[in-house]
């Protein structure tokens, strides 16, 4: 069956807009629910990978709306920052890689691309592209609240936010290291870099070794190991410079000289030299004045640290191995006229290491590639010594001290002949303008002081109080809150709001996107013309509307607007805030989502702290990470045109639970599309079906199963286990329907009024539960089966306990198990039965089963204790004639699903009636074989092979001939 999905989608988008279905306004009679998702940065169309976060948020919003909540789900667009600026520069420069992406991936024409030399044209074009894609995906957004982060009133909102933070002492000016783009002359964060990489850097100690008045600096993370330095390493083939650094003569690599300039050192290069020229030098250790040789090493990377490495072979596996290799390398020794006599010097003792720790760590490492073994040995040894090591007597004044203590004390002690150096851990990091980023020590820069202890304490409190989905991500937030330090919040270029008190600076793009959820309330009134978009809005407006400070009348006078409007905006904020659920990707936990928490707790009272954060994983394409090089980035709108929106939505959501990476597969998409077509086919079958009461066991069973599916799906969605929910709706429930239709068809009643009524009820319940995930299909099917109102208004189905039928459920469970047993017998014996005799167990075995079941459910499974209990009861004493039955029944119970065990505890059940009711099905499954049912107790039963004695409760015996 083929559909014109595009026409169907257009039809419902138009109807939703005409009915203003997703426009949320305050309604005191209804509970509100405020869902937000990260607003997109419009420098490219959204692709399938982006769609998962927004689709999850939309499914959540639609679910809560169907549960009766007044749901606000708005959307804005993030223009600020340098990425759009960098992209426009690359367009102007004719960047081949970018142009190829525009042409081949985004399918843009040269006419459109030529306008992109203006940054706002890029943002505007992709803004419209993304918005259209969101509508085509069926996102249930209130578009009246749309804004961009360069809108005038939004800029005033950001200015207010920053003045508020500064008044609380949370914005400070000082010198701090930041990721830096040397071309844009701006700090960079995740949103500013290619591949959305957050610059991550480490502080090293730069220790000044010397040679004849020349400083030979080496970067280290372990200043306490200076007592164990035996030699230095230099790359003989690398290019080094002799330079005047802050008035001293230094030798460092060319790359290091450039890095030092960004760290505010005065650097003047006098000459260049090869590393080989300093091999053999005797260098002085500033800590103990010992003379140590300079040895050659190819492994030294000139771009790492200073390009010169201090060697501690007793405690550094790489150094130990390099020294051993050099001693065995006669050719290198002869080339540089060296006599290698350095030996490891042990300076740290710790449990588990009796000899030279580095050598023992290498020996302990799991066999594997040489480099990997050394890395593992290094990681294990460093960690072990830091937490469990003590300094030996040759560490002088630091002898006997724990390494963790000595590390900081040595650092303070050598402050006079050391300095700090910062190194990117994840280099190369490239700015979106194409330049490679560095670490820069910024002077007189403005920072959000996320290192403030009281602020951190409030952020921890918020995380502990809120619902974090999934729960195991909570510890990641606590970890981030602990390590966050000062963060640059302003830059000199890019789009955005001027720093209110220092207009040379522009508010940084992640810093202006942390409490913008509050602005959605205001945006409706700005867009509607009720709040003026000119210069009259000032801080008093935001103080009153968002914090309740001041009064409406004075705000109205200061801002040239009616007091009634001011009060209206305030009441709307009070109604919708706080954010009930914030959706975003896991990659934003270390930055945006944590800043979202920090800034909310700084500005708002506890009553307006966010209630929930939902974090999801990324999307793979056919098992691979999406990348341009693999050619597997598919724009979202292109995927919708090819597959249909509901297919894309379900394929994104069904492959993984929230935090797992979802694997988008076109095979999965095709399977889903086929299932959706099946739903339409059933709709045609269920048109104009009259309601009729259940007549037979299978009717009551399907009705009962529907109630359970509703309850299970509701529980799953309340926990936002979306994949599990879809599985209940589209897979488990469909299996139930297929069994039901098979049972009804075997009786020739599939078109009876009761069967048609049950099928129609099934479809009504299924599409109502499907509506949050596949809204277009659900709306269309809902209309086709005769409903006048939209399914979005139909409400989420509620399970009806009165319609749960334990007997009917046990009947079908018994029959399906019996059918599987019969199929196995036929498969093994290869016979084509003409007659199937089924024996239900004798009456006396039922209390035996119930006793054993009750014991197992309470965790008592001791065979001897169970036998004593059974024999002591006259009703079950007969078991002593067949003790083997106890073991078999116990095995039966243990292999039975828990829900069936619970059901059987409550049930007085007639197995013979259930099997006889299904006799037509069993006969049909086995080519029309005659099916006869007896009780084991029946004296007149046909039992030529004495099979009936093997019957057990819920496990009939079988004979075929």
């Amino acid at each position: 069956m083929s559909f014109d999905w595009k026409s169907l989608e257009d039809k419902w988008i138009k109807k939703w807009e005409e009915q203003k279905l997703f426009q949320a306004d305050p309604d005191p009679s209804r509970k509100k629910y405020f869902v937000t998702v990260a607003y997109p940065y419009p420098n490219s169309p959204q692709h399938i990978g982006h769609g998962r976060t927004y689709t999850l948020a939309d499914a959540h919003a639609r679910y809560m709306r169907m549960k009766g909540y007044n749901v606000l789900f708005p959307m804005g667009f993030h223009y600020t920052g340098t990425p759009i600026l960098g992209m426009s520069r690359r367009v102007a420069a004719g960047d081949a890689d970018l142009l190829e992406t525009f042409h081949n991936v985004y399918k843009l024409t040269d006419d459109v691309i030529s306008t992109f030399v203006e940054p706002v044209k890029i943002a505007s074009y992709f803004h419209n592209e993304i918005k259209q894609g969101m509508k085509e995906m069926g996102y249930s957004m209130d578009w009246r609240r749309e804004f961009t982060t360069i809108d005038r009133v939004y800029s005033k909102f950001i200015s207010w936010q920053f003045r508020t933070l500064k008044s609380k002492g949370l914005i400070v000016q000082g010198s701090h290291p930041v990721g830096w783009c040397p071309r844009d002359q701006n700090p960079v964060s995740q949103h500013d870099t290619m591949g959305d990489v957050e610059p991550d850097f480490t502080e090293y100690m730069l220790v000044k070794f010397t040679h004849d008045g020349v400083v030979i600096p080496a970067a280290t993370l372990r200043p306490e190991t200076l007592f164990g330095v035996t030699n230095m390493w230099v790359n003989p083939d690398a290019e080094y410079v002799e330079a005047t650094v802050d008035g001293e003569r230094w030798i460092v690599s060319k790359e290091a000289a450039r890095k030092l300039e960004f760290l505010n050192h005065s650097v003047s290069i006098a000459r260049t030299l090869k590393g080989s020229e300093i091999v053999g030098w005797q260098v002085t250790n500033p800590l103990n004045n010992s003379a140590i040789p300079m040895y050659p090493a190819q492994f030294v990377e000139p771009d790492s640290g200073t390009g010169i490495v201090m060697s501690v072979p007793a405690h550094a596996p790489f150094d130990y191995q390099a020294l051993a290799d050099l001693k065995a390398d006669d050719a290198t020794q002869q080339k540089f006229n060296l006599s290698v006599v350095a030996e490891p010097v042990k300076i740290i003792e710790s449990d588990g290491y009796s000899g030279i720790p580095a050598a023992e760590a290498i020996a302990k490492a799991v066999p594997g590639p040489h480099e990997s073994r050394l890395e593992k040995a290094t990681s294990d040894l460093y960690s072990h010594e830091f937490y469990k090591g003590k300094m030996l007597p040759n560490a002088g004044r630091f002898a006997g001290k724990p390494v963790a203590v000595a590390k900081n004390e040595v650092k303070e002690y050598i402050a006079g002949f050391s300095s700090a150096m910062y190194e990117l851990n994840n280099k190369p990091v490239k700015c979106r303008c194409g330049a490679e980023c560095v670490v820069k020590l910024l002077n007189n820069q403005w920072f959000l002081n996320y290192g403030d202890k009281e602020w951190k304490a409030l952020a921890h409190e918020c995380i502990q109080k809120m619902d974090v989905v999934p729960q195991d991500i909570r510890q990641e937030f606590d970890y981030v809150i602990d390590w966050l330090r000062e963060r640059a919040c302003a830059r000199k270029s890019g789009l955005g709001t001027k720093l209110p008190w220092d207009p040379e600076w522009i508010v940084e793009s992640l810093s202006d996107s942390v409490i913008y959820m509050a602005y959605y309330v205001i945006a409706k009134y700005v867009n509607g013309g009720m709040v003026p978009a000119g210069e009259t809005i000032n801080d008093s407006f935001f103080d009153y509307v968002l914090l309740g400070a001041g009064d409406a009348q004075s705000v109205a006078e200061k801002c040239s607007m009616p007091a009634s409007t001011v009060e209206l905006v305030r009441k709307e904020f009070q109604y919708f805030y706080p954010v009930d659920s914030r959706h975003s990707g896991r990659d934003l936990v270390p930055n945006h989502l944590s800043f979202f928490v920090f800034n909310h707790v700084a500005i708002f009272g506890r009553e307006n702290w966010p209630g929930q954060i939902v974090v999801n994983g990324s999307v793979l394409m056919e098992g691979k990470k999406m990348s341009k090089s693999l050619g597997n980035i598919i724009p979202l709108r292109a995927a919708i045109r090819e597959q249909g929106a509901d297919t894309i939505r379900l394929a994104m959501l069904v492959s993984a639970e929230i935090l797992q990476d979802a694997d988008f597969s076109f095979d999965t998409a095709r399977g889903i599309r086929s299932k959706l077509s099946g739903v339409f086919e059933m709709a045609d079958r269920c048109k104009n079906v009259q309601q009729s009461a259940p007549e037979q066991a299978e009717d009551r069973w399907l009705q009962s199963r529907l109630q359970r599916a509703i309850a299970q799906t509701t529980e799953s969605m309340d926990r936002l286990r979306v994949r599990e929910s879809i599985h209940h709706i589209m897979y488990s429930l469909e299996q139930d329907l297929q069994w039901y239709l098979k049972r009804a068809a075997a009786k020739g009643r599939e078109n009876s009024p009761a069967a048609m009524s049950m099928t129609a009820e099934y479809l009504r319940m299924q599409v109502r539960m499907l509506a949050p995930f596949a809204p277009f299909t659900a709306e269309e099917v809902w209309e086709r089966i005769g409903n006048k109102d939209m399914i979005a208004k139909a409400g989420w189905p509620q399970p009806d306990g009165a319609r749960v039928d334990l007997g009917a459920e046990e009947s079908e469970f018994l029959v399906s198990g019996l059918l599987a047993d019969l199929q196995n017998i036929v498969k093994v014996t290869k016979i084509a039965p003409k007659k199937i005799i089924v024996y239900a167990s004798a009456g006396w075995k039922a209390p035996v089963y119930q006793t054993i079941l009750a014991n197992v459910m309470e965790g008592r499974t001791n065979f001897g204790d169970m036998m004593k209990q059974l024999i002591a009861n006259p009703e079950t004493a007969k078991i002593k004639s067949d003790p083997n039955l106890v073991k078999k029944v116990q095995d039966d119970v243990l292999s039975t699903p828990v829900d069936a065990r619970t059901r059987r505890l409550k049930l007085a059940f007639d197995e013979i009636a259930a099997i006889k009711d299904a006799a037509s099905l069993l006969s049909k499954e086995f080519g029309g074989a005659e099916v006869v049912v007896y009780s084991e107790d029946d004296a007149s039963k046909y039992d030529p092979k004495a099979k009936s004695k093997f019957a057990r409760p819920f496990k009939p015996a079988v004979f075929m001939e």
Side-chain angles (χ1 to χ4, degrees), residues 715-732:
E715 182 185 356
S716 296
M717 276 304 291
D718 286 344
R719 297 163 58 205
L720 282 177
R721 295 189 62 83
V722 174
R723 178 181 183 272
E724 190 173 271
S725 301
I726 295 170
H727 193 272
H728 290 319
I729 299 163
M730 293 194 70
Y731 297 91
S732 299

Side-chain angles (χ1 to χ4, degrees), residues 159-349:
S159 296
W160 166 81
Q161 174 189 332
F162 267 66
R163 276 191 284 263
T164 302
L165 291 170
K166 190 169 185 290
S167 71
K168 293 173 179 281
L170 299 176
I171 295 179
V172 297
Q173 192 174 29
S175 297
H176 297 283
V178 295
W180 180 260
C181 172
R183 182 181 296 167
D184 286 342
Q185 294 287 294
N186 263 329
V188 293
S189 58
Q190 180 179 7
H191 286 187
D192 308 304
T193 62
M194 292 185 183
D196 292 329
V197 177
E198 179 73 27
D200 180 34
F201 50 85
T202 299
E203 179 181 342
Y204 287 80
M205 285 286 296
L206 208 60
V207 183
K208 297 178 182 179
F209 294 80
T210 57
H211 171 80
D212 290 342
V214 177
V215 174
I216 314 292
T220 182
L221 290 170
R222 302 187 72 192
E224 75 281 4
T225 64
L226 271 166
F227 293 98
V229 175
T230 61
N231 62 282
M232 307 290 280
W233 298 114
V234 65
N235 189 324
D237 299 327
E239 203 166 68
Y240 290 76
V241 298
E242 182 178 329
T244 300
V245 179
D246 303 331
E248 298 176 330
R249 286 170 61 211
W250 285 24
I251 290 178
V252 293
S253 67
K254 275 184 74 172
E255 294 86 347
R258 179 173 180 268
K259 287 187 285 187
L260 289 168
E261 290 179 342
F262 288 107
L263 297 176
N264 293 343
H265 292 280
S266 170
V267 180
S268 176
I269 296 173
R271 70 183 181 103
T272 61
L273 64 156
K274 282 285 187 185
S276 57
E277 296 180 46
I278 64 173
V279 170
W281 281 13
Q282 290 295 307
V283 179
T284 302
N285 184 333
L287 188 63
N288 55 17
N289 291 322
S290 60
I292 53 177
M294 182 74 74
Y295 288 157
Q298 296 290 340
F299 68 79
V300 174
E301 298 175 6
D303 190 33
S304 180
T306 63
I308 297 169
V309 177
M310 68 182 216
S311 173
V312 189
H315 301 281
F318 276 98
D319 292 337
Y320 180 88
Q321 189 64 55
L323 190 59
D325 292 345
L326 182 59
K327 286 181 177 180
D329 188 350
D330 292 334
T332 298
Q333 291 187 50
Q334 289 175 17
K335 177 179 177 181
F336 292 102
N337 193 26
L338 294 174
S339 176
V340 180
V341 294
E343 293 293 337
V345 177
K346 184 176 178 180
I347 57 166
I348 297 169
E349 65 176 353

Side-chain angles (χ1 to χ4, degrees), residues 799-847:
D800 182 353
R803 304 178 81 184
V804 171
D805 190 323
L806 297 181
E809 290 190 31
E810 189 55 50
S811 290
E812 301 310 309
F813 186 73
L814 176 75
V815 170
S816 63
L818 175 59
L819 178 58
D821 288 344
L822 292 172
Q823 288 168 336
N824 285 332
I825 292 168
V826 169
K827 184 178 178 181
V828 171
T829 61
K830 303 284 193 289
I831 66 171
K834 295 285 186 285
K835 190 172 186 179
I836 300 172
I837 299 96
V838 183
Y839 308 98
S841 63
W844 70 270
K845 293 179 180 178

Side-chain angles (χ1 to χ4, degrees), residues 16 23 74 101 165 201 227 375 380 426 435 450 454 466 488 507 525 578 596 619 639 673 810 867 871 882 908 939 961:
W16 292 332
Q23 293 186 6
T101 300
L165 291 170
F201 50 85
F227 293 98
E375 286 176 359
D380 290 348
N426 53 345
Y450 289 137
E454 292 182 9
M466 75 163 55
V507 174
Y525 293 93
F596 162 74
V619 179
R673 191 162 181 168
E810 189 55 50
M867 280 298 295
I871 292 170
D882 189 6
E961 61 180 20

Side-chain angles (χ1 to χ4, degrees), residues 685 692-702 739-759 812 917 920 924:
R685 173 177 158 82
S692 178
E695 292 176 350
Q696 301 205 18
E698 61 268 21
D699 300 336
R700 295 189 296 276
W701 173 79
L702 183 60
W739 174 261
Y740 172 78
L741 294 175
K742 180 189 283 192
R743 284 276 275 124
K747 293 179 178 179
R749 61 179 297 271
E750 65 270 29
N751 294 317
S752 70
M756 289 301 297
S757 176
M758 279 311 309
T759 305
E812 301 310 309
D917 185 74
S920 59
K924 188 174 181 180

